[in-house]
Amino acid sequence: MAYWLFKSEPDVWGWDAQVAKGEAGEEWDGVRNYQARNNMRAMKLGEKGFFYHSRTGLEIVGIVEVCAEAHPDSTTDDDRWECVDVKAVRPFTKPVTLETIKADPRLADMVLVNNSRLSVQPVTDEEWKIICTLGDTTP
DNA sequence: GCCAACGTTGGC
DNA sequence: GCCAACGTTGGC
C-alpha cells in the first residue's frame, strides 16, 4: 500500500471543491508532467494521499483516496496524459503547514521539501504516519 | 507580484 | 543529441 501527495492551488481546485464531489470523486486532471503522470499510473484503487494547498495555502488539509485507477485525461486529446480519480476521505483536525514540515528533521527528505514543483508525489509510510500525527488524524 | 527553479520545446 | 529559449510552477 503506497501513499501519495496531491497538490493543487485552492483557488483552482481546493479541498472544499473535492469534498463537494462526495463519494463519486473527481478526475485529478490537468497534469502535464511525466513524473507526476507516472506516479498516478502506479496508483492502485483504495490507496490514500494527502491533499495539499499550494501557493495560497501551503498546508496539507486532508486525505483523499484513489477511486479510479489511471485512465485518459478527459481535458486533452493528447493520449500521453492520464489521471486517476480521487475522493475526499476526511479533513485534518489541524492542517499541517509547509513550515511545520520543514521544521521537522524527520521530514527533511520529503519530495515536498526537495522538489516542490512536482505536483503528484510519493510519500513514505513513515512520513505518512508522522504527518497524520501532526494533523491530529488517524493514519 | 516577483523571480528562481524546473521541465519542455525546437533549431541546429 | 545538444542546449538556448521559453513557459509554468510555487514559495516568498
Side-chain angles (χ1 to χ4, degrees), chain A residues 47-106:
Chain A
E47 288 186 338
K48 293 190 172 61
F50 292 132
F51 193 108
Y52 177 77
H53 281 168
S54 66
R55 266 188 76 81
T56 54
L58 306 190
E59 57 189 11
I60 296 172
V61 290
I63 292 175
V64 292
E65 181 180 316
V66 176
C67 60
E69 294 184 7
H71 56 82
D73 185 331
S74 71
T75 62
T76 177
D77 289 334
D78 192 330
D79 58 13
R80 290 178 299 171
W81 305 121
E82 299 176 18
C83 61
V84 296
D85 291 7
V86 299
K87 64 177 183 184
V89 176
R90 62 176 171 277
F92 275 16
T93 309
K94 292 187 301 181
V96 178
T97 65
L98 182 62
E99 201 182 354
T100 302
I101 291 167
K102 282 186 168 174
D104 195 321
R106 295 172 300 171

